[in-house]
């Protein structure tokens, strides 16, 4: 079921969606957005690609196994929560850098936490969708 | 001390790394670790024996009084020395014994972790910490019993031990918490200085009950003893280490430790004496009937544990001293005998005493070792076991408790101990050689040196008792009694009543050994012993539990999604509806129906699409209509100034429509419509839950909600949370713990979906 309109649009829209998801992620702390929505949008980008080109192509595009993204996301959130351990502070105590980082702006452990959420959400949705979509071929 | 325990755990987890270099390394390294720990604890002997205690504390949860507090006194030092000393011998032995096993690295990881947990248990000054280490010993014991996990019987035994000791541990936990509430502290050393507090409290009986259950299950007291003989499924070094010398004594340790805090009452004394005595007699009677070397040893271990519990119950200073000496003597000779049974097993290929005969010429060193251990178990002068038996008899008679029943029972079980020792040692080694499954040779060096040294130790300690043991026994009884005692242990007290009784016990025991078959015949035909089978009731209980679980699961979890939804909705209607109608008078519901045109249009769209969902003739229509409902709700969020919610709602709606389409593809055609009565039922359930939600929303809009939280979040979001988007700051900072939990659940859900779709499918294909 190949559609030239869909595939051409997808080629343009997928990178834009991914860029948009990243934009949502980094602005989330001050404006509407955040890791969760960002992750959802990023996952949608890959889904669009999946609908246009199939599971195999999207897997090649993604390169990494979604389960790895889930683990990575959990790891990042956990690490960001454990910073207090090194400074004799509580679990999940927020730490912020004094200087602003270009593009990202203010950077701190809560932001790192949001990045973890972002990866996890992408991983979860893609894992479920891949499991459903792959089953067709069997 | 926290460093020592951490180091032991760390070394345990590093062992597999060494396994990659050389398969023999884990065994050797863990032996060295145990030996190093032994030296460490031995070096603290002068400090402890001079009457000092070493205390250390590192904060953990100081707010609730849970800290890494450790406490080294006579009692804990004795146990630490036993754990590391016998540990060294067992590790050395195992480094040879386990060489050919496939997962030998794993074995040493478990065994070293066990040693670390056991050390933590005896050194803990904090009851919660003690509980955690107690559970850790149960878990490591589970892993070790089930080490040969391909065998069904191993798995069964491992699970049984875990369930019995774990249940006891959990009940004990309740008692610990109760003590914490009453005393305001979990520190054992603080409780020691306030002894009457718990004993005089009205909940004392209940607390005592929990501690007794915890100790009795761990130390295999009747009627919870059955897990210990089953645990003989474990490799022999494990049986020698965990199930005779150390772990099973954890319960005895607990009782000794709590003696100054919970003891001294009649209830304490009577229950310990009762259960200790029953265990002592029952187990040794059962031991005589067994034919498996390890089972015989296991039952005799249970019997000795009963003796120790009884002695703590008697509670005089004589009894406590007898308990300490018996504990040391037993740890030494029983570990030796267990290791010898392992040697016999691996050299001959069988552990069945009826098949073993005349090994003395083939295994001379092992034979000599076994004889030394047996003589200590017999209680022959000048072995340590002799002092143990003398002091045991002395304290029982001297206490005058339950005269003459208690002395008679002790006498009888001592006679059986002699018989059991003879069956274990004399029978396999003496007489003419009988052919065994394997060609018999002497054990390799690493397997005889440890037991040989241990058995010699029993002799050395016996001869030098006055000098070697007096101070440590005094120090241990000082920690059990909480006052200093000054008593000199002697090997020889002259020809007194105890000595004659001792001799009589040995003689009667040997005669009994000669004619044991008659007894076995009588016992196996007597109804009582066959009727009292706790393991049978355990099996009944477990299968009953399984049946209950199956029934209630099949009742609630039918496998039909619609049934789950019905159950969820019914629960909602019943509980929420009940609470709502009970607390809120209908007159207070004054909704405000003022709305803008946009809202009216959106509401109309939602109602119409909801109608389409219900009436749709195909799933695709239903899903798209659902999507319309979702998008309309998202627009409402926009209207009310919740852009974050709206964003998420849009994304989620899009994704769920796509997800549904993928699922839809696999479902059978939408042909069978439910029966009208069933549709009626569904309508009623859905309608009532909708009605309740509507009423709640009406009620909420008709009152003014006063929320402190809202104010707090909007005021502190920027200064503390460093973000202007309050919603996001709540998610990733203020309530980040919730988020962490939620995303973990999400991750697990994804793995669940994956395994349900993939693994089940693969099974069907195969």
């Amino acid at each position: 079921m190949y559609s030239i309109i869909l595939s051409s649009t997808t080629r343009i829209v997928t990178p834009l969606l991914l860029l948009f998801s990243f934009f949502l992620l980094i602005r989330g702390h001050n404006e509407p957005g955040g890791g969760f929505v960002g992750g959802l949008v990023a996952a949608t980008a890959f889904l669009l690609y999946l609908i246009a080109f199939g599971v195999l192509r999207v897997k090649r595009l993604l390169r990494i196994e979604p389960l790895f993204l889930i683990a990575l996301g959990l790891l990042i959130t956990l690490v960001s929560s454990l910073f207090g351990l090194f400074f004799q502070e509580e679990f999940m105590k927020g730490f912020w850098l004094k200087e602003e980082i270009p593009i990202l702006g203010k950077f701190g452990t809560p932001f790192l936490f949001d990045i973890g959420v972002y990866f996890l959400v992408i991983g979860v949705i893609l894992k479920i969708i891949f499991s459903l979509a792959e089953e067709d071929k069997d | 001390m926290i460093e020592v325990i951490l180091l032991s755990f760390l070394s345990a987890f590093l062992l597999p790394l060494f396994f990659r270099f050389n398969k023999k390394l884990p065994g050797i390294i863990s032996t060295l670790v145990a030996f190093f720990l032994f030296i460490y604890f031995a070096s603290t002997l002068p400090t402890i024996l001079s009457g000092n205690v070493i205390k250390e504390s590192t904060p953990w949860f100081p707010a609730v009084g849970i800290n890494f507090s450790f406490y080294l006194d006579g009692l804990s030092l004795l146990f630490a020395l036993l754990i590391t000393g016998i540990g060294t011998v067992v590790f050395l032995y195992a480094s040879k014994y386990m060489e050919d096993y496939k997962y030998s690295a794993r074995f040493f990881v478990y065994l070293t972790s066990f040693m670390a947990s056991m050390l933590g248990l005896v050194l803990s000054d904090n009851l919660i910490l003690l509980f955690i280490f107690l559970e850790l010993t149960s878990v490591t014991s589970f892993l070790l019993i089930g080490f040969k996990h391909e065998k069904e019987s191993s798995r069964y035994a491992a699970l049984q031990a875990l369930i019995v000791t774990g249940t006891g541990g959990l009940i004990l936990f309740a008692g610990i918490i109760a003590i914490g509430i009453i005393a305001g502290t979990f520190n054992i050393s603080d409780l020691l200085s306030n002894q009457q507090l718990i004993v005089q409290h009205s909940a004392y009986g209940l607390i005592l009950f929990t501690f007794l259950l915890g100790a009795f299950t761990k130390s295999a007291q009747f009627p919870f003893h059955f897990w210990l003989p089953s645990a003989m499924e474990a490799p022999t070094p494990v049986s020698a280490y965990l199930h005779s010398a150390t772990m099973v004594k954890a319960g005895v340790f607990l009782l000794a430790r709590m003696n100054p805090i919970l003891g001294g009452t009649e209830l304490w004394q009577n229950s310990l004496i009762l259960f200790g005595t029953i265990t002592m007699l029952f187990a040794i009677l059962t031991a005589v009937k067994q034919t498996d070397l390890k089972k015989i040893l296991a039952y005799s271990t249970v019997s000795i544990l009963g003796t120790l519990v009884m002695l703590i119950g008697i509670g005089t200073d004589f009894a406590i001293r007898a308990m300490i000496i018996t504990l040391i003597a037993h740890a030494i000779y029983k570990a030796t005998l267990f290791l010898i049974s392992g040697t016999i097993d691996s050299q001959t290929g069988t552990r069945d005493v009826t098949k073993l005969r005349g090994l003395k010429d083939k295994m001379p060193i092992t034979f000599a070792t076994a004889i030394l251990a047996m003589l200590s178990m017999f209680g022959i002068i000048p072995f340590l076991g002799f002092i143990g038996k003398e002091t045991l008899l002395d304290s029982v008679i001297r206490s005058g408790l339950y005269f003459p029943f208690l002395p008679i029972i002790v006498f009888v079980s001592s006679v059986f101990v002699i018989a059991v020792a003879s069956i274990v040692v004399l029978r396999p080694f003496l007489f003419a050689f009988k052919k065994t499954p394997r060609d018999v040779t002497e054990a390799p060096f690493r397997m005889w040196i440890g037991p040989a040294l241990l058995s010699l130790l029993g002799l050395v300690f016996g001869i030098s008792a006055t000098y070697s043991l007096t101070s440590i026994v005094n120090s241990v009884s000082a920690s059990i009694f909480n006052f200093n005692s000054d008593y000199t242990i002697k090997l020889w007290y002259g020809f007194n009543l105890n000595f004659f009784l001792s001799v009589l016990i040995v003689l009667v025991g040997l005669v009994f050994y000669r004619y044991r078959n008659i007894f076995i015949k009588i016992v196996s035909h007597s109804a009582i012993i066959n009727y009292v089978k706790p393991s049978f009731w355990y099996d009944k209980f477990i299968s009953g539990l399984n049946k209950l679980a199956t029934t209630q699961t099949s009742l609630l979890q039918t496998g039909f999604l619609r049934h789950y939804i019905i159950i969820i909705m019914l629960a909602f209607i019943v509980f929420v509806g009940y609470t709502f109608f009970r607390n809120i008078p209908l007159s207070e519901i004054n909704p405000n129906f003022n709305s803008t045109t946009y809202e009216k249009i959106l509401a109309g769209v939602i109602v119409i699409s909801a109608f389409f969902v219900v009436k749709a003739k195909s799933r695709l229509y239903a899903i798209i209509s659902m999507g319309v409902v979702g998008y309309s709700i998202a627009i409402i969020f926009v209207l009310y100034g919740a852009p974050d919610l709206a964003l998420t709602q849009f994304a989620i709606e899009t994704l769920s429509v796509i997800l549904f389409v993928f699922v839809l593809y696999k479902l059978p055609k939408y042909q069978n419509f439910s029966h009208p009565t069933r549709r009626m039922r569904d309508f009623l359930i859905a309608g009532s839950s909708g009605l309740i939600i509507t009423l709640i929303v009406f009620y909420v809009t008709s009152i003014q909600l006063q929320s402190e939280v809202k104010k707090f979040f909007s005021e502190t979001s920027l200064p503390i949370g460093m973000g202007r988007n309050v919603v996001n700051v709540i998610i990733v900072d203020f309530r980040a713990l919730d988020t962490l939990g939620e995303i973990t659940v999400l991750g697990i859900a994804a793995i669940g979906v994956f395994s349900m779709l993939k693994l089940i499918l693969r099974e069907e294909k195969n």
Side-chain angles (χ1 to χ4, degrees):
Chain A
M1 197 183 67
Y2 182 77
S3 145
I4 190 145
I5 300 174
L6 183 62
S7 61
S8 331
T9 325
T10 303
R11 274 178 224 280
I12 303 163
V13 171
T14 300
L16 282 179
L17 274 174
L18 283 176
L19 202 64
F20 179 59
S21 80
F22 185 67
F23 166 73
L24 281 175
L25 168 68
I26 57 172
R27 83 200 285 261
H29 215 60
N30 290 314
E31 311 291 334
F36 193 78
V37 179
L40 290 179
V41 172
T44 324
F46 286 109
L47 283 188
L48 185 63
Y49 203 83
L50 184 146
I51 292 167
F53 302 107
V55 187
L56 285 180
R57 289 278 298 272
V58 77
K59 277 197 159 174
R60 218 177 300 152
L61 180 75
L62 190 65
R63 280 159 200 250
I64 38 179
E65 165 62 13
L67 265 182
F68 175 80
L69 282 177
I70 297 178
L72 180 74
L74 278 177
L75 186 72
I76 292 175
T77 51
L78 199 66
V79 166
S80 83
S81 318
L82 286 176
F83 264 80
L85 209 65
F86 304 106
F87 303 102
Q88 294 273 315
E89 288 277 3
E90 298 93 343
F91 182 62
M92 290 200 153
K93 164 94 184 174
F95 292 95
W96 292 90
L97 287 181
K98 293 229 169 60
E99 311 291 319
E100 292 211 350
I101 292 179
I103 304 171
L104 296 182
K106 280 181 301 181
F107 190 79
T109 53
F111 185 64
L112 200 62
F113 189 92
D114 222 9
I115 297 176
V117 175
Y118 177 78
F119 282 125
L120 179 120
V121 168
I122 301 178
V124 167
I125 291 167
L126 292 187
K127 187 75 218 170
I128 294 175
I129 299 273
F130 285 1
S131 308
L132 286 168
E134 267 177 355
E135 206 197 335
D136 294 346
K137 303 196 304 299
D138 297 334
Chain B
M1 274 168 276
I2 187 169
E3 301 86 3
V4 177
I5 291 162
L6 279 179
L7 189 81
S8 328
F9 274 116
L10 190 71
S11 65
F13 296 124
L14 289 180
L15 287 176
L17 224 62
F18 294 108
F19 185 73
R20 300 199 170 193
F21 296 114
N22 187 330
K23 295 198 165 167
K24 290 177 182 167
L25 270 179
I28 294 165
I29 289 174
S30 48
T31 310
L32 289 176
V33 170
F35 186 65
F36 163 76
L37 291 171
F38 179 71
I39 299 291
Y40 169 82
F41 285 110
S43 72
T44 62
L45 263 172
T47 321
I48 303 299
L49 291 187
S50 60
N52 297 316
V53 294
I54 301 173
K55 277 175 78 169
E56 265 177 31
S57 188
T58 310
W60 183 14
F61 289 139
V64 281
I66 301 170
N67 295 307
F68 290 110
S69 306
F70 295 102
Y71 181 70
L72 189 66
D73 63 347
L75 181 64
S76 42
L77 181 60
L78 172 69
F79 270 87
L81 287 174
L82 283 178
I83 293 160
T84 52
I86 292 180
T88 309
V89 170
V90 170
F91 276 107
L92 184 70
Y93 182 93
S95 70
K96 181 72 195 163
Y97 187 88
M98 302 301 294
E99 219 167 55
D100 303 329
Y101 277 83
K102 200 171 160 195
Y103 303 113
S104 64
R106 197 183 287 176
F107 177 81
F108 286 106
V109 173
Y110 297 160
L111 205 60
T112 314
S113 316
F114 164 74
M115 181 174 67
S117 325
M118 194 66 205
L119 280 176
L121 165 64
V122 298
L123 294 174
S124 291
D125 188 19
N126 191 296
L127 280 174
I128 300 281
L129 199 62
L130 183 140
F131 167 75
I132 292 168
F133 283 120
L134 188 82
E135 294 296 69
L136 276 176
T137 60
S138 289
V139 171
T140 41
S141 153
F142 166 77
L143 293 169
L144 284 164
I145 297 171
F147 184 70
K148 298 177 202 158
H149 56 83
E150 298 91 350
K151 271 172 71 184
E152 161 100 53
S153 54
S154 287
R155 297 197 300 269
Y156 172 80
L159 195 64
Q160 190 184 49
L162 185 71
I163 289 175
V164 173
T165 59
T167 311
L170 281 178
I171 294 168
L172 170 72
F173 189 46
I176 289 175
I177 290 172
I179 285 191
I181 293 170
I182 295 168
T185 177
F186 289 116
N187 280 354
I188 297 168
S189 49
D190 293 341
L191 288 166
L192 286 176
S193 59
N194 207 345
Q195 291 178 30
Q196 291 307 305
L197 190 71
I198 307 294
V199 173
Q200 282 168 359
H201 196 272
S202 56
Y204 169 71
L206 220 56
I207 292 175
L208 182 64
F209 175 73
T210 65
F211 272 80
L212 291 185
L213 267 180
F216 286 176
T217 49
K218 199 77 182 168
S219 276
Q221 297 296 294
F222 185 88
F224 308 111
H225 63 279
F226 55 89
W227 69 265
L228 187 58
S230 319
M232 294 300 125
E233 287 290 338
T236 306
V238 176
S239 313
Y241 193 34
L242 273 72
H243 305 125
S244 112
T246 57
M247 188 187 90
V248 288
K249 297 217 169 83
V252 174
F253 169 83
L254 189 69
L255 294 175
R257 187 47 109 203
M258 298 310 283
N259 184 47
I261 300 165
L262 294 175
T265 62
E266 240 170 68
L267 190 60
W268 165 275
Q269 191 175 45
N270 288 334
S271 30
L272 290 194
I273 292 178
L274 179 68
F275 283 95
T277 315
I278 293 178
T279 311
M280 175 173 73
L281 189 66
F282 177 82
I284 204 74
L285 290 180
T286 319
V288 181
K289 294 192 300 176
Q290 306 295 320
T291 54
D292 178 352
L293 264 179
K294 282 179 78 179
K295 285 259 160 90
I296 304 173
L297 290 171
Y299 275 109
S300 80
T301 303
V302 173
S303 170
I304 294 291
L305 291 169
T307 313
L308 298 176
V309 169
M310 176 197 75
L311 284 170
I312 296 178
I314 293 174
T316 58
D317 50 345
F318 286 96
I320 296 296
R321 265 194 297 275
M323 191 280 285
I324 300 163
I325 296 169
T326 312
L327 188 142
I328 301 172
H330 173 257
I332 292 173
Y333 73 69
K334 193 53 71 61
T336 312
L337 288 177
F338 259 116
L339 292 180
I340 286 173
S341 81
T343 309
I344 292 176
D345 189 13
S346 75
Q347 300 304 109
T348 66
T350 178
R351 284 194 321 241
D352 189 340
V353 280
T354 57
K355 290 183 186 142
L356 293 162
R357 271 283 191 282
L359 297 173
K360 61 180 185 306
D361 300 324
K362 307 264 181 184
M363 307 168 77
I365 305 171
T366 309
F367 174 57
T369 309
I371 287 290
L372 288 178
M374 180 195 78
L375 290 176
S376 192
M377 190 168 169
F378 268 18
I380 299 282
I381 196 164
F383 286 87
L384 184 57
F386 171 73
I387 308 177
K389 191 146 291 173
E390 291 269 289
T391 48
L392 165 66
L393 291 168
D394 184 49
S395 59
V396 170
I397 295 169
R398 210 184 268 258
S399 74
L401 287 164
Y402 300 101
F403 190 83
F405 303 106
L406 202 54
I408 289 174
I409 295 176
V410 171
F411 182 85
V412 171
S413 40
S414 300
V415 165
F416 278 90
V417 170
I418 305 289
V420 165
S422 312
I423 295 172
V424 172
V425 177
L426 296 182
R427 219 190 124 104
F429 282 102
L430 295 184
F431 313 109
F433 180 69
K434 197 170 164 186
K435 194 143 175 41
T436 52
R438 252 178 249 164
D439 285 336
V440 185
T441 51
E442 180 55 270
F445 173 75
R446 273 186 280 167
M447 278 167 68
W448 67 253
I449 179 71
L453 285 178
L454 272 185
S455 64
L456 279 176
L457 204 61
L459 180 61
V460 171
F461 271 154
I463 296 170
S464 67
T466 311
Y467 313 101
S468 57
L469 289 180
T470 295
S471 48
I472 183 129
V473 170
N474 277 333
S475 168
V476 177
S477 46
S479 10
I480 299 178
F481 272 120
N482 211 22
F483 64 75
N484 289 318
S485 71
D486 192 19
Y487 184 84
T488 312
I489 294 166
K490 286 190 214 150
L491 179 63
W492 180 243
Y493 286 93
F495 293 100
N496 54 16
L497 174 66
N498 302 328
F499 179 74
F500 288 118
L501 277 178
S502 230
V503 174
L504 193 63
I505 285 171
V506 175
L507 293 178
V508 177
L510 285 174
V511 170
F512 180 79
Y513 165 65
R514 180 72 186 77
Y515 298 105
R516 66 187 176 281
N517 290 336
I518 303 168
F519 166 79
I520 294 172
K521 225 172 255 166
I522 297 169
V523 167
S524 40
H525 284 100
S526 75
I528 300 171
I529 296 250
N530 292 330
Y531 198 73
V532 186
K533 267 219 157 110
S535 56
F536 168 77
W537 296 108
Y538 165 85
D539 286 337
K540 274 262 171 221
F541 177 71
I542 294 293
S543 67
L545 213 56
N546 277 336
K547 255 182 221 144
L548 182 72
T550 318
T551 322
Q552 73 93 9
T553 308
S554 59
L555 210 67
L556 286 178
Q557 307 196 6
T558 51
F560 291 103
L561 207 52
R562 51 181 175 277
H563 290 167
Y564 296 166
I565 294 174
I566 288 175
I567 289 172
I568 292 170
M569 284 199 169
L570 278 179
F572 169 80
I573 294 166
V574 171
F575 295 118
V576 178
Y578 172 75
T579 317
F580 185 77
F581 287 118
R582 219 187 77 144
N583 295 320
I584 312 293
L586 285 175
S587 57
E588 275 185 27
I589 302 174
N590 303 308
N592 182 359
F593 286 111
N594 289 335
S595 51
T596 61
T597 324
Y598 299 118
E599 287 165 3
K600 281 186 186 115
I601 295 171
L602 279 171
V605 171
I606 290 174
V607 171
I608 292 167
S609 14
F611 183 74
F612 271 109
V613 174
V614 180
K615 287 311 242 179
K617 292 275 182 233
S618 91
R619 289 200 179 90
L620 196 60
Y621 287 135
I623 289 161
I624 292 171
S625 309
M626 283 290 283
V628 173
V629 174
Y631 279 125
S632 312
I633 291 172
I635 296 172
I636 293 179
F637 288 147
V638 175
L639 287 180
Y640 280 86
D644 268 292
L645 273 179
L647 254 176
T648 315
Q649 177 80 14
F650 276 124
I652 286 281
E653 275 313 321
T654 314
L655 277 169
S656 26
V657 169
I658 299 175
L659 258 175
F660 267 126
V661 171
F662 274 109
V663 176
L664 199 67
Y665 197 67
K666 289 179 205 17
L667 294 176
K669 277 224 171 105
Y670 200 30
Q671 284 167 335
N672 301 328
F673 288 94
S674 323
H675 193 264
T677 51
R678 197 170 280 180
R679 282 172 79 88
M680 200 57 207
R681 176 199 68 186
D682 294 348
F683 171 75
L684 279 177
I685 293 171
S688 354
S689 57
L691 187 72
I692 290 173
I693 280 285
T694 312
L695 283 174
I696 290 174
V697 171
F698 280 171
Y699 176 66
V700 170
T701 50
S702 57
I703 53 165
Q704 275 294 317
L705 279 176
Q706 294 290 335
S707 171
E708 294 285 320
V709 186
K710 209 161 103 187
K711 207 171 130 219
F712 170 81
F713 281 145
S714 51
E715 276 172 8
T716 50
S717 170
L718 193 55
I720 296 179
M722 302 292 205
R724 284 193 303 277
N725 181 357
V726 184
V727 176
N728 190 262
V729 172
I730 291 174
I731 290 174
V732 299
D733 200 344
F734 287 139
R735 308 301 303 261
L737 190 64
D738 293 1
T739 313
L740 187 64
E742 281 154 15
I743 59 174
T744 311
V745 170
L746 265 185
I748 293 168
I751 295 168
V753 169
F754 168 69
S755 48
M756 258 163 51
L757 285 174
K758 290 286 160 187
L759 302 182
I760 293 172
L761 221 71
R762 214 169 290 158
E763 245 168 50
E764 275 171 5
K765 248 186 245 165
N766 295 342

